[in-house]
Short mmCIF file of all heavy atoms in Angstrom, two decimals:
data_model
loop_
_atom_site.label_atom_id
_atom_site.label_comp_id
_atom_site.label_asym_id
_atom_site.label_seq_id
_atom_site.Cartn_x
_atom_site.Cartn_y
_atom_site.Cartn_z
N MET A 1 4.59 3.58 24.35
CA MET A 1 4.89 2.41 25.20
C MET A 1 3.71 2.14 26.15
O MET A 1 3.13 3.07 26.70
CB MET A 1 6.17 2.69 26.00
CG MET A 1 7.01 1.43 26.17
SD MET A 1 8.14 1.61 27.49
CE MET A 1 9.57 2.25 26.62
N ALA A 2 3.37 0.90 26.27
CA ALA A 2 2.24 0.55 27.15
C ALA A 2 2.71 0.54 28.60
O ALA A 2 3.53 -0.28 28.99
CB ALA A 2 1.67 -0.79 26.76
N ASP A 3 2.17 1.45 29.37
CA ASP A 3 2.67 1.63 30.73
C ASP A 3 2.26 0.47 31.63
O ASP A 3 2.97 0.11 32.54
CB ASP A 3 2.13 2.95 31.28
CG ASP A 3 2.81 3.34 32.56
OD1 ASP A 3 4.05 3.19 32.64
OD2 ASP A 3 2.13 3.76 33.49
N HIS A 4 1.11 -0.13 31.35
CA HIS A 4 0.60 -1.15 32.27
C HIS A 4 1.37 -2.45 32.19
O HIS A 4 1.19 -3.33 33.02
CB HIS A 4 -0.89 -1.40 32.01
CG HIS A 4 -1.18 -1.92 30.64
ND1 HIS A 4 -1.33 -1.11 29.56
CD2 HIS A 4 -1.33 -3.19 30.19
CE1 HIS A 4 -1.57 -1.85 28.50
NE2 HIS A 4 -1.57 -3.11 28.85
N THR A 5 2.24 -2.58 31.18
CA THR A 5 3.04 -3.80 31.09
C THR A 5 4.41 -3.63 31.74
O THR A 5 5.12 -4.59 31.92
CB THR A 5 3.24 -4.22 29.61
OG1 THR A 5 3.86 -3.15 28.93
CG2 THR A 5 1.92 -4.57 28.97
N ALA A 6 4.76 -2.41 32.08
CA ALA A 6 6.06 -2.17 32.70
C ALA A 6 6.05 -2.67 34.14
O ALA A 6 5.08 -2.45 34.88
CB ALA A 6 6.38 -0.70 32.66
N HIS A 7 7.12 -3.32 34.53
CA HIS A 7 7.21 -3.80 35.91
C HIS A 7 7.42 -2.63 36.86
O HIS A 7 7.94 -1.59 36.49
CB HIS A 7 8.36 -4.80 36.05
CG HIS A 7 8.07 -6.10 35.38
ND1 HIS A 7 7.00 -6.90 35.72
CD2 HIS A 7 8.70 -6.75 34.37
CE1 HIS A 7 7.00 -7.97 34.97
NE2 HIS A 7 8.01 -7.91 34.13
N VAL A 8 7.01 -2.85 38.10
CA VAL A 8 7.03 -1.74 39.07
C VAL A 8 8.11 -1.95 40.13
O VAL A 8 8.10 -1.33 41.17
CB VAL A 8 5.65 -1.62 39.76
CG1 VAL A 8 4.61 -1.18 38.75
CG2 VAL A 8 5.25 -2.90 40.44
N ARG A 9 9.01 -2.89 39.83
CA ARG A 9 10.07 -3.27 40.77
C ARG A 9 10.75 -2.07 41.43
O ARG A 9 10.94 -2.05 42.64
CB ARG A 9 11.12 -4.04 39.99
CG ARG A 9 11.45 -5.37 40.59
CD ARG A 9 12.36 -6.11 39.67
NE ARG A 9 11.67 -7.23 39.06
CZ ARG A 9 12.24 -8.06 38.21
NH1 ARG A 9 13.47 -7.87 37.85
NH2 ARG A 9 11.57 -9.06 37.72
N ASP A 10 11.12 -1.11 40.59
CA ASP A 10 11.87 0.04 41.12
C ASP A 10 11.01 0.95 41.97
O ASP A 10 11.51 1.86 42.62
CB ASP A 10 12.54 0.80 39.99
CG ASP A 10 11.55 1.21 38.91
OD1 ASP A 10 10.47 0.60 38.85
OD2 ASP A 10 11.84 2.14 38.15
N GLN A 11 9.70 0.70 41.95
CA GLN A 11 8.81 1.55 42.76
C GLN A 11 8.34 0.85 44.03
O GLN A 11 7.66 1.44 44.86
CB GLN A 11 7.59 1.94 41.92
CG GLN A 11 7.92 2.88 40.79
CD GLN A 11 6.69 3.15 39.93
OE1 GLN A 11 5.71 3.69 40.40
NE2 GLN A 11 6.76 2.77 38.68
N LEU A 12 8.73 -0.43 44.16
CA LEU A 12 8.22 -1.21 45.29
C LEU A 12 8.68 -0.64 46.63
O LEU A 12 7.91 -0.59 47.59
CB LEU A 12 8.66 -2.67 45.16
CG LEU A 12 7.85 -3.48 44.13
CD1 LEU A 12 8.41 -4.89 44.03
CD2 LEU A 12 6.39 -3.52 44.49
N ASP A 13 9.94 -0.25 46.70
CA ASP A 13 10.47 0.31 47.95
C ASP A 13 9.66 1.52 48.37
O ASP A 13 9.24 1.64 49.52
CB ASP A 13 11.94 0.70 47.77
CG ASP A 13 12.86 -0.50 47.90
OD1 ASP A 13 12.38 -1.55 48.37
OD2 ASP A 13 14.04 -0.38 47.54
N LEU A 14 9.43 2.39 47.40
CA LEU A 14 8.65 3.60 47.69
C LEU A 14 7.22 3.23 48.04
O LEU A 14 6.62 3.81 48.95
CB LEU A 14 8.66 4.53 46.47
CG LEU A 14 10.04 5.10 46.09
CD1 LEU A 14 9.96 5.81 44.75
CD2 LEU A 14 10.51 6.06 47.16
N TYR A 15 6.70 2.24 47.33
CA TYR A 15 5.32 1.80 47.59
C TYR A 15 5.18 1.26 49.01
O TYR A 15 4.25 1.61 49.74
CB TYR A 15 4.94 0.73 46.57
CG TYR A 15 3.65 0.03 46.87
CD1 TYR A 15 2.44 0.70 46.74
CD2 TYR A 15 3.62 -1.30 47.31
CE1 TYR A 15 1.25 0.07 47.03
CE2 TYR A 15 2.44 -1.93 47.58
CZ TYR A 15 1.25 -1.25 47.44
OH TYR A 15 0.07 -1.88 47.74
N LEU A 16 6.14 0.43 49.42
CA LEU A 16 6.06 -0.21 50.74
C LEU A 16 6.26 0.78 51.87
O LEU A 16 5.77 0.59 52.98
CB LEU A 16 7.09 -1.34 50.84
CG LEU A 16 6.75 -2.55 49.97
CD1 LEU A 16 7.95 -3.49 49.88
CD2 LEU A 16 5.55 -3.28 50.51
N THR A 17 6.99 1.83 51.60
CA THR A 17 7.20 2.84 52.64
C THR A 17 6.16 3.95 52.57
O THR A 17 6.20 4.89 53.34
CB THR A 17 8.61 3.45 52.52
OG1 THR A 17 8.81 3.91 51.19
CG2 THR A 17 9.67 2.44 52.88
N GLY A 18 5.22 3.78 51.61
CA GLY A 18 4.14 4.76 51.50
C GLY A 18 4.59 6.09 50.95
O GLY A 18 3.98 7.12 51.22
N ALA A 19 5.68 6.06 50.17
CA ALA A 19 6.23 7.32 49.66
C ALA A 19 5.66 7.70 48.30
O ALA A 19 5.95 8.77 47.80
CB ALA A 19 7.76 7.21 49.57
N LEU A 20 4.86 6.81 47.72
CA LEU A 20 4.30 7.12 46.41
C LEU A 20 3.03 7.95 46.56
O LEU A 20 2.31 7.83 47.57
CB LEU A 20 3.95 5.82 45.67
CG LEU A 20 5.11 4.96 45.18
CD1 LEU A 20 4.57 3.70 44.54
CD2 LEU A 20 5.98 5.72 44.21
N ASP A 21 2.76 8.75 45.52
CA ASP A 21 1.49 9.45 45.55
C ASP A 21 0.36 8.48 45.18
O ASP A 21 0.60 7.38 44.68
CB ASP A 21 1.51 10.68 44.63
CG ASP A 21 1.89 10.31 43.22
OD1 ASP A 21 1.25 9.43 42.63
OD2 ASP A 21 2.84 10.92 42.70
N THR A 22 -0.85 8.89 45.43
CA THR A 22 -1.99 7.98 45.30
C THR A 22 -2.08 7.35 43.92
O THR A 22 -2.35 6.16 43.78
CB THR A 22 -3.29 8.75 45.59
OG1 THR A 22 -3.11 9.52 46.77
CG2 THR A 22 -4.45 7.80 45.78
N GLU A 23 -1.81 8.16 42.91
CA GLU A 23 -1.94 7.67 41.54
C GLU A 23 -0.95 6.54 41.26
O GLU A 23 -1.30 5.50 40.73
CB GLU A 23 -1.70 8.83 40.58
CG GLU A 23 -2.31 8.60 39.21
CD GLU A 23 -2.11 9.81 38.33
OE1 GLU A 23 -2.35 10.93 38.81
OE2 GLU A 23 -1.70 9.64 37.18
N ARG A 24 0.30 6.75 41.67
CA ARG A 24 1.33 5.73 41.44
C ARG A 24 1.08 4.51 42.33
O ARG A 24 1.32 3.38 41.94
CB ARG A 24 2.72 6.31 41.71
CG ARG A 24 3.16 7.23 40.60
CD ARG A 24 4.62 7.58 40.71
NE ARG A 24 5.07 8.25 39.52
CZ ARG A 24 5.52 7.61 38.44
NH1 ARG A 24 5.58 6.31 38.43
NH2 ARG A 24 5.91 8.28 37.39
N GLU A 25 0.65 4.78 43.54
CA GLU A 25 0.34 3.70 44.45
C GLU A 25 -0.71 2.77 43.84
O GLU A 25 -0.58 1.55 43.87
CB GLU A 25 -0.19 4.30 45.76
CG GLU A 25 0.00 3.40 46.96
CD GLU A 25 -0.39 4.12 48.23
OE1 GLU A 25 -1.59 4.12 48.57
OE2 GLU A 25 0.49 4.71 48.87
N ARG A 26 -1.73 3.39 43.27
CA ARG A 26 -2.80 2.63 42.65
C ARG A 26 -2.26 1.83 41.46
O ARG A 26 -2.65 0.69 41.24
CB ARG A 26 -3.89 3.59 42.18
CG ARG A 26 -5.26 2.99 42.33
CD ARG A 26 -6.31 4.02 42.06
NE ARG A 26 -6.55 4.88 43.22
CZ ARG A 26 -7.41 5.88 43.21
NH1 ARG A 26 -8.08 6.17 42.13
NH2 ARG A 26 -7.61 6.60 44.30
N HIS A 27 -1.36 2.45 40.73
CA HIS A 27 -0.76 1.78 39.57
C HIS A 27 0.03 0.56 40.02
O HIS A 27 -0.07 -0.52 39.43
CB HIS A 27 0.14 2.77 38.83
CG HIS A 27 0.96 2.12 37.76
ND1 HIS A 27 0.43 1.77 36.54
CD2 HIS A 27 2.26 1.74 37.74
CE1 HIS A 27 1.39 1.21 35.81
NE2 HIS A 27 2.50 1.18 36.51
N VAL A 28 0.81 0.71 41.09
CA VAL A 28 1.60 -0.41 41.61
C VAL A 28 0.68 -1.51 42.11
O VAL A 28 0.88 -2.70 41.80
CB VAL A 28 2.53 0.06 42.75
CG1 VAL A 28 3.19 -1.13 43.42
CG2 VAL A 28 3.59 1.01 42.22
N GLU A 29 -0.36 -1.14 42.84
CA GLU A 29 -1.30 -2.13 43.35
C GLU A 29 -1.94 -2.92 42.21
O GLU A 29 -2.06 -4.14 42.28
CB GLU A 29 -2.39 -1.44 44.17
CG GLU A 29 -1.99 -1.29 45.63
CD GLU A 29 -2.95 -0.40 46.38
OE1 GLU A 29 -4.00 -0.01 45.81
OE2 GLU A 29 -2.65 -0.08 47.53
N ARG A 30 -2.33 -2.19 41.18
CA ARG A 30 -2.97 -2.85 40.04
C ARG A 30 -1.99 -3.77 39.34
O ARG A 30 -2.35 -4.86 38.91
CB ARG A 30 -3.48 -1.78 39.07
CG ARG A 30 -4.51 -2.34 38.11
CD ARG A 30 -5.00 -1.27 37.18
NE ARG A 30 -5.86 -0.32 37.87
CZ ARG A 30 -6.56 0.62 37.25
NH1 ARG A 30 -6.48 0.74 35.95
NH2 ARG A 30 -7.33 1.44 37.91
N HIS A 31 -0.76 -3.34 39.25
CA HIS A 31 0.25 -4.17 38.60
C HIS A 31 0.53 -5.42 39.43
O HIS A 31 0.63 -6.52 38.91
CB HIS A 31 1.53 -3.37 38.38
CG HIS A 31 2.57 -4.16 37.66
ND1 HIS A 31 2.64 -4.22 36.29
CD2 HIS A 31 3.56 -4.96 38.12
CE1 HIS A 31 3.64 -5.03 35.94
NE2 HIS A 31 4.22 -5.48 37.03
N LEU A 32 0.62 -5.26 40.74
CA LEU A 32 0.88 -6.41 41.61
C LEU A 32 -0.25 -7.44 41.49
O LEU A 32 -0.02 -8.64 41.59
CB LEU A 32 1.00 -5.95 43.06
CG LEU A 32 2.26 -5.16 43.42
CD1 LEU A 32 2.21 -4.74 44.87
CD2 LEU A 32 3.51 -6.00 43.17
N PHE A 33 -1.44 -6.93 41.27
CA PHE A 33 -2.60 -7.81 41.16
C PHE A 33 -2.50 -8.70 39.94
O PHE A 33 -2.97 -9.83 39.95
CB PHE A 33 -3.88 -6.96 41.09
CG PHE A 33 -5.13 -7.74 41.34
CD1 PHE A 33 -5.42 -8.20 42.61
CD2 PHE A 33 -6.01 -8.00 40.30
CE1 PHE A 33 -6.57 -8.93 42.83
CE2 PHE A 33 -7.17 -8.73 40.52
CZ PHE A 33 -7.44 -9.19 41.79
N THR A 34 -1.86 -8.19 38.89
CA THR A 34 -1.81 -8.93 37.62
C THR A 34 -0.45 -9.55 37.36
O THR A 34 -0.31 -10.33 36.44
CB THR A 34 -2.14 -7.99 36.45
OG1 THR A 34 -1.21 -6.91 36.45
CG2 THR A 34 -3.55 -7.43 36.58
N CYS A 35 0.57 -9.22 38.15
CA CYS A 35 1.91 -9.67 37.84
C CYS A 35 2.52 -10.44 39.02
O CYS A 35 2.91 -9.84 40.02
CB CYS A 35 2.79 -8.47 37.49
SG CYS A 35 4.49 -8.94 37.16
N PRO A 36 2.54 -11.77 38.94
CA PRO A 36 3.11 -12.60 40.01
C PRO A 36 4.57 -12.29 40.28
O PRO A 36 5.03 -12.40 41.41
CB PRO A 36 2.95 -14.03 39.50
CG PRO A 36 2.00 -13.96 38.36
CD PRO A 36 2.07 -12.58 37.80
N THR A 37 5.29 -11.93 39.24
CA THR A 37 6.72 -11.64 39.39
C THR A 37 6.94 -10.49 40.36
O THR A 37 7.72 -10.59 41.32
CB THR A 37 7.34 -11.28 38.03
OG1 THR A 37 6.99 -12.28 37.09
CG2 THR A 37 8.84 -11.17 38.13
N CYS A 38 6.23 -9.42 40.14
CA CYS A 38 6.39 -8.26 41.01
C CYS A 38 5.77 -8.52 42.39
O CYS A 38 6.21 -7.95 43.38
CB CYS A 38 5.75 -7.03 40.38
SG CYS A 38 6.76 -6.36 39.04
N ARG A 39 4.77 -9.39 42.44
CA ARG A 39 4.16 -9.71 43.73
C ARG A 39 5.17 -10.41 44.63
O ARG A 39 5.26 -10.16 45.83
CB ARG A 39 2.93 -10.59 43.52
CG ARG A 39 1.90 -10.40 44.61
CD ARG A 39 0.51 -10.63 44.11
NE ARG A 39 0.40 -11.91 43.42
CZ ARG A 39 -0.49 -12.17 42.48
NH1 ARG A 39 -1.34 -11.25 42.12
NH2 ARG A 39 -0.53 -13.34 41.89
N VAL A 40 5.94 -11.32 44.02
CA VAL A 40 7.01 -12.00 44.77
C VAL A 40 8.03 -10.99 45.25
O VAL A 40 8.46 -11.02 46.41
CB VAL A 40 7.68 -13.09 43.88
CG1 VAL A 40 8.95 -13.60 44.53
CG2 VAL A 40 6.72 -14.23 43.64
N GLU A 41 8.40 -10.09 44.36
CA GLU A 41 9.35 -9.03 44.74
C GLU A 41 8.82 -8.22 45.91
O GLU A 41 9.53 -7.91 46.86
CB GLU A 41 9.59 -8.11 43.54
CG GLU A 41 10.25 -8.80 42.38
CD GLU A 41 11.76 -8.57 42.39
OE1 GLU A 41 12.21 -7.66 43.08
OE2 GLU A 41 12.47 -9.33 41.70
N ALA A 42 7.55 -7.89 45.84
CA ALA A 42 6.93 -7.09 46.89
C ALA A 42 6.91 -7.85 48.21
O ALA A 42 7.16 -7.30 49.28
CB ALA A 42 5.52 -6.68 46.49
N ASP A 43 6.61 -9.17 48.12
CA ASP A 43 6.60 -10.00 49.32
C ASP A 43 7.96 -10.01 49.99
O ASP A 43 8.10 -9.83 51.19
CB ASP A 43 6.21 -11.44 48.96
CG ASP A 43 4.71 -11.62 48.97
OD1 ASP A 43 4.00 -10.65 49.33
OD2 ASP A 43 4.25 -12.72 48.63
N GLN A 44 8.99 -10.23 49.16
CA GLN A 44 10.35 -10.27 49.69
C GLN A 44 10.75 -8.93 50.27
O GLN A 44 11.33 -8.86 51.35
CB GLN A 44 11.32 -10.70 48.59
CG GLN A 44 11.19 -12.17 48.25
CD GLN A 44 12.00 -12.56 47.03
OE1 GLN A 44 12.51 -11.69 46.33
NE2 GLN A 44 12.12 -13.83 46.77
N ALA A 45 10.40 -7.89 49.57
CA ALA A 45 10.77 -6.54 50.04
C ALA A 45 10.08 -6.23 51.36
O ALA A 45 10.69 -5.65 52.26
CB ALA A 45 10.40 -5.52 48.98
N SER A 46 8.83 -6.65 51.50
CA SER A 46 8.12 -6.35 52.74
C SER A 46 8.65 -7.21 53.88
O SER A 46 8.66 -6.79 55.03
CB SER A 46 6.61 -6.56 52.57
OG SER A 46 6.34 -7.90 52.24
N GLU A 47 9.11 -8.43 53.55
CA GLU A 47 9.73 -9.27 54.58
C GLU A 47 11.01 -8.63 55.10
O GLU A 47 11.26 -8.61 56.30
CB GLU A 47 10.05 -10.65 54.00
CG GLU A 47 8.97 -11.67 54.30
CD GLU A 47 9.24 -12.98 53.58
OE1 GLU A 47 10.40 -13.41 53.55
OE2 GLU A 47 8.29 -13.56 53.03
N VAL A 48 11.81 -8.12 54.20
CA VAL A 48 13.05 -7.44 54.59
C VAL A 48 12.72 -6.23 55.45
O VAL A 48 13.34 -6.00 56.49
CB VAL A 48 13.84 -7.01 53.34
CG1 VAL A 48 14.99 -6.10 53.74
CG2 VAL A 48 14.37 -8.23 52.61
N ALA A 49 11.71 -5.49 55.05
CA ALA A 49 11.31 -4.31 55.81
C ALA A 49 10.87 -4.72 57.22
O ALA A 49 11.19 -4.06 58.21
CB ALA A 49 10.17 -3.59 55.09
N LEU A 50 10.17 -5.86 57.29
CA LEU A 50 9.70 -6.35 58.58
C LEU A 50 10.87 -6.78 59.45
O LEU A 50 10.93 -6.47 60.64
CB LEU A 50 8.76 -7.55 58.34
CG LEU A 50 7.76 -7.84 59.44
CD1 LEU A 50 6.64 -6.79 59.41
CD2 LEU A 50 7.15 -9.22 59.27
N GLU A 51 11.83 -7.50 58.84
CA GLU A 51 13.01 -7.93 59.58
C GLU A 51 13.79 -6.74 60.12
O GLU A 51 14.27 -6.77 61.25
CB GLU A 51 13.90 -8.79 58.69
CG GLU A 51 13.48 -10.25 58.67
CD GLU A 51 14.25 -11.03 57.62
OE1 GLU A 51 15.40 -10.68 57.36
OE2 GLU A 51 13.67 -11.98 57.07
N LEU A 52 13.90 -5.72 59.31
CA LEU A 52 14.61 -4.52 59.74
C LEU A 52 13.90 -3.89 60.94
O LEU A 52 14.52 -3.45 61.89
CB LEU A 52 14.69 -3.51 58.60
CG LEU A 52 15.68 -3.88 57.47
CD1 LEU A 52 15.60 -2.85 56.37
CD2 LEU A 52 17.10 -3.98 58.02
N THR A 53 12.58 -3.91 60.90
CA THR A 53 11.81 -3.34 61.99
C THR A 53 12.01 -4.14 63.27
O THR A 53 12.23 -3.59 64.34
CB THR A 53 10.30 -3.32 61.64
OG1 THR A 53 10.15 -2.78 60.34
CG2 THR A 53 9.52 -2.51 62.64
N VAL A 54 11.99 -5.48 63.12
CA VAL A 54 12.18 -6.35 64.28
C VAL A 54 13.59 -6.19 64.84
O VAL A 54 13.80 -6.14 66.04
CB VAL A 54 11.91 -7.82 63.90
CG1 VAL A 54 12.32 -8.75 65.03
CG2 VAL A 54 10.44 -8.01 63.55
N ALA A 55 14.57 -6.12 63.92
CA ALA A 55 15.96 -6.04 64.34
C ALA A 55 16.25 -4.74 65.08
O ALA A 55 17.12 -4.69 65.94
CB ALA A 55 16.87 -6.15 63.12
N SER A 56 15.51 -3.69 64.75
CA SER A 56 15.77 -2.40 65.38
C SER A 56 15.08 -2.28 66.73
O SER A 56 15.34 -1.34 67.48
CB SER A 56 15.32 -1.27 64.45
OG SER A 56 13.93 -1.31 64.29
N ALA A 57 14.20 -3.25 67.04
CA ALA A 57 13.53 -3.22 68.34
C ALA A 57 14.51 -3.67 69.43
O ALA A 57 15.40 -4.47 69.17
CB ALA A 57 12.31 -4.14 68.32
N PRO A 58 14.38 -3.18 70.63
CA PRO A 58 15.27 -3.59 71.72
C PRO A 58 15.10 -5.07 72.02
O PRO A 58 13.96 -5.54 72.14
CB PRO A 58 14.81 -2.73 72.91
CG PRO A 58 13.48 -2.18 72.52
CD PRO A 58 13.46 -2.13 71.03
N PRO A 59 16.21 -5.82 72.13
CA PRO A 59 16.13 -7.27 72.30
C PRO A 59 15.73 -7.68 73.72
O PRO A 59 16.19 -7.10 74.70
CB PRO A 59 17.56 -7.73 71.98
CG PRO A 59 18.42 -6.55 72.27
CD PRO A 59 17.56 -5.31 72.07
N GLY A 60 14.90 -8.71 73.79
CA GLY A 60 14.52 -9.32 75.07
C GLY A 60 13.94 -8.33 76.06
O GLY A 60 14.16 -8.44 77.25
N ASP A 61 13.19 -7.39 75.57
CA ASP A 61 12.64 -6.38 76.46
C ASP A 61 11.11 -6.41 76.39
O ASP A 61 10.48 -5.47 75.97
CB ASP A 61 13.17 -5.00 76.06
CG ASP A 61 12.99 -4.00 77.21
OD1 ASP A 61 12.87 -4.46 78.36
OD2 ASP A 61 12.95 -2.80 76.94
N GLU A 62 10.56 -7.54 76.79
CA GLU A 62 9.12 -7.66 76.72
C GLU A 62 8.47 -7.00 77.93
O GLU A 62 8.93 -7.17 79.06
CB GLU A 62 8.73 -9.14 76.68
CG GLU A 62 9.11 -9.80 75.35
CD GLU A 62 8.77 -11.28 75.37
OE1 GLU A 62 7.88 -11.67 76.12
OE2 GLU A 62 9.41 -12.03 74.62
N PRO A 63 7.43 -6.29 77.68
CA PRO A 63 6.73 -5.64 78.80
C PRO A 63 5.99 -6.67 79.66
O PRO A 63 5.52 -7.68 79.16
CB PRO A 63 5.74 -4.70 78.11
CG PRO A 63 5.55 -5.30 76.74
CD PRO A 63 6.84 -5.99 76.39
N ASP A 64 5.94 -6.43 80.94
CA ASP A 64 5.22 -7.35 81.82
C ASP A 64 3.74 -7.31 81.48
O ASP A 64 3.18 -6.23 81.28
CB ASP A 64 5.40 -6.92 83.28
CG ASP A 64 6.84 -7.03 83.71
OD1 ASP A 64 7.54 -7.92 83.18
OD2 ASP A 64 7.27 -6.23 84.56
N PRO A 65 3.15 -8.50 81.41
CA PRO A 65 1.71 -8.50 81.14
C PRO A 65 0.95 -7.94 82.34
O PRO A 65 1.05 -8.45 83.46
CB PRO A 65 1.39 -9.99 80.92
CG PRO A 65 2.52 -10.74 81.54
CD PRO A 65 3.72 -9.82 81.53
N ALA A 66 0.25 -6.89 82.08
CA ALA A 66 -0.49 -6.26 83.18
C ALA A 66 -1.76 -7.07 83.48
O ALA A 66 -2.43 -7.52 82.57
CB ALA A 66 -0.87 -4.84 82.79
N PRO A 67 -2.02 -7.29 84.75
CA PRO A 67 -3.25 -8.04 85.09
C PRO A 67 -4.48 -7.23 84.70
O PRO A 67 -4.62 -6.08 85.11
CB PRO A 67 -3.16 -8.20 86.60
CG PRO A 67 -2.19 -7.18 87.06
CD PRO A 67 -1.28 -6.88 85.89
N THR A 68 -5.33 -7.85 83.89
CA THR A 68 -6.51 -7.14 83.43
C THR A 68 -7.76 -7.59 84.17
O THR A 68 -8.78 -6.98 84.07
CB THR A 68 -6.70 -7.35 81.92
OG1 THR A 68 -6.64 -8.75 81.63
CG2 THR A 68 -5.62 -6.64 81.13
N ILE A 69 -7.60 -8.73 84.91
CA ILE A 69 -8.78 -9.23 85.62
C ILE A 69 -8.82 -8.62 87.02
O ILE A 69 -7.88 -8.77 87.81
CB ILE A 69 -8.73 -10.77 85.73
CG1 ILE A 69 -8.64 -11.37 84.31
CG2 ILE A 69 -9.94 -11.28 86.50
CD1 ILE A 69 -8.21 -12.82 84.32
N ALA A 70 -9.87 -7.93 87.31
CA ALA A 70 -10.01 -7.32 88.63
C ALA A 70 -10.35 -8.39 89.67
O ALA A 70 -11.13 -9.28 89.38
CB ALA A 70 -11.11 -6.27 88.60
N PRO A 71 -9.70 -8.34 90.82
CA PRO A 71 -9.99 -9.33 91.88
C PRO A 71 -11.43 -9.20 92.37
O PRO A 71 -11.93 -8.11 92.56
CB PRO A 71 -8.99 -8.97 93.01
CG PRO A 71 -8.60 -7.57 92.72
CD PRO A 71 -8.72 -7.36 91.24
N ARG A 72 -12.05 -10.36 92.56
CA ARG A 72 -13.43 -10.32 93.04
C ARG A 72 -13.46 -9.99 94.53
O ARG A 72 -12.58 -10.42 95.27
CB ARG A 72 -14.09 -11.69 92.84
CG ARG A 72 -14.39 -11.94 91.37
CD ARG A 72 -14.75 -13.41 91.15
NE ARG A 72 -14.90 -13.66 89.71
CZ ARG A 72 -16.05 -14.08 89.19
NH1 ARG A 72 -17.10 -14.28 89.94
NH2 ARG A 72 -16.11 -14.30 87.91
N PRO A 73 -14.44 -9.26 94.94
CA PRO A 73 -14.54 -8.89 96.35
C PRO A 73 -14.94 -10.07 97.22
O PRO A 73 -15.63 -10.95 96.77
CB PRO A 73 -15.63 -7.82 96.38
CG PRO A 73 -16.41 -7.98 95.11
CD PRO A 73 -15.49 -8.67 94.11
ZN1 LIG B 1 5.67 -6.85 37.10
#
């Protein structure tokens, strides 16, 4: 079976979380480069991951902008 034609969908989660070893990571990257279908999947998966990260952040808790300009004498 030709491995390079197999879709990497089931590995995208692991890929996005950095859980794959270098060899598989490289394989997924190469596949994404040549396969628009899996690239879309990867985009969506990373968006979900991003939303989860944002959702887990404390709401409306922005840090005060610290003044970086020193007052002139
Ligand atoms: Zn694919």
Side-chain angles (χ1 to χ4, degrees):
M1 216 199 268
D3 192 42
H4 62 276
T5 58
H7 289 300
V8 294
R9 233 173 250 180
D10 54 340
Q11 291 176 62
L12 283 177
D13 279 346
L14 295 171
Y15 170 70
L16 289 168
T17 52
L20 290 177
D21 55 54
T22 313
E23 202 177 314
R24 285 191 170 273
E25 204 173 85
R26 216 172 278 178
H27 171 77
V28 172
E29 272 170 7
R30 198 180 288 188
H31 183 87
L32 289 178
F33 195 71
T34 58
C35 178
T37 309
C38 284
R39 208 150 52 206
V40 169
E41 296 264 343
D43 272 356
Q44 287 172 349
S46 61
E47 264 173 42
V48 170
L50 204 74
E51 275 172 32
L52 287 177
T53 312
V54 170
S56 65
D61 198 22
E62 289 178 25
D64 296 329
T68 51
I69 302 164
R72 287 168 186 241

